[in-house]
Amino acid sequence: MSLVVRKSSPVVVRPSPEAGMTSGGTIKLSSFDKGLYNMPSTTLLVFEHPLHNAAEIIQGALSRALAHYYPIAGRIVVAGGGGGGGGDDDFYIECNDQGVDFIAARTDHALKEVICFDRSPSPGARKLLDHLAVYYPSMTCGSGDPLLLMQVTEFSCGGFVLGVTWNHGVADGAGMGQFLQAVGELARGSPSPSVAPVRWDGSLPSLPPSVLEAQQHLLSLDPLGDDLAILDITIPMESIDRVRADFSSSFGQPCTTFEAALAVLWRCRTRAIKPGPETLTLLVFLADMRKHAGAKEGYYGNCIVEQLVMAKCGAVADGDFKGAVMAIRRAKDQLPDRLKDGDGVVGQQKLREIRAYDTLIVTSWRNLGFDRVDFGSGRPARVTASGKDLPPSPGAVGFLRDGSGGVSVLADLVRQEHAEAFLAELAKFK
C-alpha cells in the first residue's frame, strides 16, 4: 500500500503571550540531562475518535502550553561552543522563545487501513508510520534545532495521529508525557495545566561517575543498523499472568507486569541467539528515579538511570522465568544505590568485555502518561514508538500496554538471522 501524506510547510509555534508567563535566562542541564543533550526520541499517539480541526486545536493549545513550559521553546547551547562535554556547566537550555516546529498533515486513507489495533502491524505497515512524524536530520539534535517537532496527521475517517519528536535533553519520557497531558488539558478548555511544571530542581543529586561512565559506554556501542530486525510483537496478558502467579506462589512476593514481560523477552532472546553458556549477557533497563532522587512534583527534566543486570547466558537460557524475574527484582531493589558513589553494579572492565550483541536495553513506556493524553475526543487507542530512533545497541525495546489485552513491544532485539527463532521461542511460551 502506498500512503500519501500531504504535509503543510513547518510552522514555528511560540509561547502564547496571552498566558502572561515570563521566560528568559538559561537553565543548566543536570547530570541526568547532559549525556542526552543531542539524542532524539519519537512517539506516535493514535486517536481513533474524530476531533474536528484537530491540527488547529492542538496547535493553539501547544502555544498556550509553551507559555508554561517555555524552556521547550528554547535551544540547547554549549558554553564556549565546544560541545565536548567539559563539566556540568557546559550545557544549558537558553530560554529564548524561538519556538518549536509544527506540521499539519492529511491523508485520504482511513486510520485502520494503516494502523492495526488488534494485532501487530506488518513490516510494510510499520514503515508507513515513518510518514506520521518529523525527524531531525541525521537523527541527531543540533545546537540550533528546535527542542520539539510535532506533526498532526488527520485521516479520512476523522481519526488522527500525533507524532512527537523531541530532544531528550529537555525532557525524559515521563516529562514529555506530562507536557502532552498539559497540551490536552488546554485544548479541552482548562485555563492552566493541572500540574505546575518544574524544569530546574537544584536539590537533585549529581549522578556518580560509575553511572555516567556506564551511560556513555551504552551510548557509544557500535550500531548494527540494518542487521537488526524490527519486530512489533504482543505478549498476551494470559502469559504474563502465568509468570506472575508462578513467581508469587514460589517466593511469596508480587511480580509486576514489567518484570514478567522483561524476563520473557530476555530468556526467549537468549535462547534464540544461542550464545555459549559461559558468555556474559547484559540486561539494561531504564528506571525513573524521581522518587529516589526526591525530585519536586511537576519536574519534567530527565531523571532516569540505566540499571544493569549481568548473568551467564546458560543460566538465562536454561533457567526458568522465576530466576530471571528474581535477578530483575534484585536490580530494582538496588536502584537507590545508583545515586551513591561506588564502583557501580557492573565494573567498567566487565562492561567492555560484553559484546554489543549480548546487550539488551529495555525501556518501559507503560507509566509515562502518553496513554492519558486527551485533546477532546478521548485518549489514544494506541501509543507506539518509532522504529527509526531505537538506540544503537541491539535489543533496544519499547514497552507499551496494548488495549487488546497484552504488552506491546517494538524491538530490534535480534539480527535478521535470529528473528524466526526468537518468534518461535515466544510462540512456545504462549
Side-chain angles (χ1 to χ4, degrees):
M1 180 180 74
S2 176
L3 177 67
V4 177
V5 176
R6 299 182 297 277
K7 298 187 180 187
S8 67
S9 298
V11 174
V12 177
V13 178
R14 293 184 170 87
S16 170
E18 300 173 5
M21 306 293 289
T22 59
S23 61
T26 59
I27 294 175
K28 181 176 68 175
L29 295 190
S30 74
S31 60
F32 288 92
D33 302 317
K34 187 176 174 183
L36 307 171
Y37 81 99
N38 64 350
M39 177 181 293
S41 186
T42 300
T43 185
L44 300 172
L45 282 66
V46 182
F47 294 87
E48 193 172 12
H49 300 297
L51 177 65
H52 184 60
N53 293 329
E56 181 180 346
I57 289 173
I58 294 172
Q59 181 181 341
L62 172 63
S63 179
R64 294 192 293 276
L66 288 173
H68 300 270
Y69 288 79
Y70 59 86
I72 296 178
R75 298 292 184 269
I76 288 182
V77 296
V78 183
D88 287 343
D89 295 337
D90 290 338
F91 297 85
Y92 300 84
I93 301 174
E94 185 176 17
C95 302
N96 53 23
D97 288 351
Q98 287 191 17
V100 304
D101 282 3
F102 182 90
I103 291 177
R106 288 185 176 275
T107 178
D108 293 331
H109 289 281
L111 196 55
K112 288 191 175 182
E113 293 180 56
V114 180
I115 298 174
C116 304
F117 295 96
D118 57 349
R119 58 185 174 83
S120 300
S122 66
R126 166 57 58 185
K127 290 181 180 179
L128 296 178
L129 301 186
D130 290 346
H131 296 278
L132 305 180
V134 190
Y135 300 92
Y136 291 100
S138 304
M139 298 305 293
T140 188
C141 305
S143 59
D145 289 335
L147 302 183
L148 178 72
L149 312 174
M150 184 176 286
Q151 177 178 320
V152 176
T153 306
E154 298 181 68
F155 286 72
S156 62
C157 59
F160 63 98
V161 173
L162 174 70
V164 181
T165 300
W166 76 96
N167 184 320
H168 213 311
V170 75
D172 59 15
M176 185 51 58
Q178 176 183 309
F179 172 70
L180 293 179
Q181 287 182 68
V183 177
E185 289 173 342
L186 296 171
R188 301 196 309 272
S190 296
S192 62
S194 60
V195 176
V198 176
R199 182 54 187 83
W200 171 248
D201 184 352
S203 66
L204 286 179
S206 295
L207 290 174
S210 60
V211 174
L212 296 173
E213 289 169 0
Q215 180 189 69
Q216 289 304 309
H217 169 77
L218 295 170
L219 292 174
S220 67
L221 291 173
D222 291 333
L224 296 182
D226 294 338
D227 288 344
L228 297 174
I230 295 181
L231 303 173
D232 198 331
I233 58 179
T234 297
I235 305 175
M237 209 63 211
E238 294 85 353
S239 302
I240 295 295
D241 288 342
R242 285 203 309 271
V243 174
R244 296 180 63 187
D246 190 23
F247 181 86
S248 297
S249 64
S250 297
F251 296 101
Q253 302 176 27
C255 171
T256 68
T257 297
F258 171 76
E259 292 164 351
L262 183 51
V264 169
L265 290 175
W266 194 20
R267 183 170 181 260
C268 290
R269 179 187 185 273
T270 305
R271 292 171 69 92
I273 66 176
K274 291 185 171 61
E278 297 298 311
T279 301
L280 292 176
T281 176
L282 182 68
L283 172 66
V284 183
F285 61 88
L286 274 64
D288 187 339
M289 299 294 285
R290 282 170 171 77
K291 178 179 68 175
H292 303 301
K296 296 177 181 177
E297 183 180 359
Y299 182 72
Y300 63 94
N302 287 279
C303 200
I304 52 176
V305 300
E306 296 87 358
Q307 182 61 312
L308 314 179
V309 188
M310 188 173 64
K312 292 183 178 181
C313 290
V316 176
D318 300 330
D320 56 23
F321 291 117
K322 290 182 292 187
V325 170
M326 182 55 76
I328 295 164
R329 169 64 58 83
R330 285 195 295 265
K332 289 177 68 176
D333 291 342
Q334 295 169 353
L335 280 172
D337 296 332
R338 298 291 276 157
L339 300 177
K340 303 174 184 177
D341 289 329
D343 295 332
V345 179
V346 178
Q348 290 300 305
Q349 182 60 39
K350 283 189 175 180
L351 272 181
R352 288 190 289 268
E353 291 175 359
I354 298 175
R355 300 182 310 170
Y357 194 52
D358 292 322
T359 300
L360 168 61
I361 301 180
V362 179
T363 180
S364 172
W365 283 14
R366 290 187 62 240
N367 299 312
L368 298 186
F370 293 130
D371 59 337
R372 297 192 294 273
V373 176
D374 182 357
F375 298 108
S377 63
R379 296 181 177 185
R382 187 173 186 189
V383 180
T384 184
S386 165
K388 271 195 169 187
D389 62 351
L390 289 168
S393 77
V397 193
F399 266 136
L400 309 167
R401 184 62 180 267
D402 187 359
S404 63
V407 175
S408 174
V409 182
L410 176 64
D412 58 352
L413 283 164
V414 294
R415 290 189 173 106
Q416 299 283 350
E417 63 193 271
H418 296 133
E420 187 174 340
F422 171 70
L423 294 174
E425 290 294 335
L426 279 178
K428 291 178 189 176
F429 170 67
K430 296 175 186 179

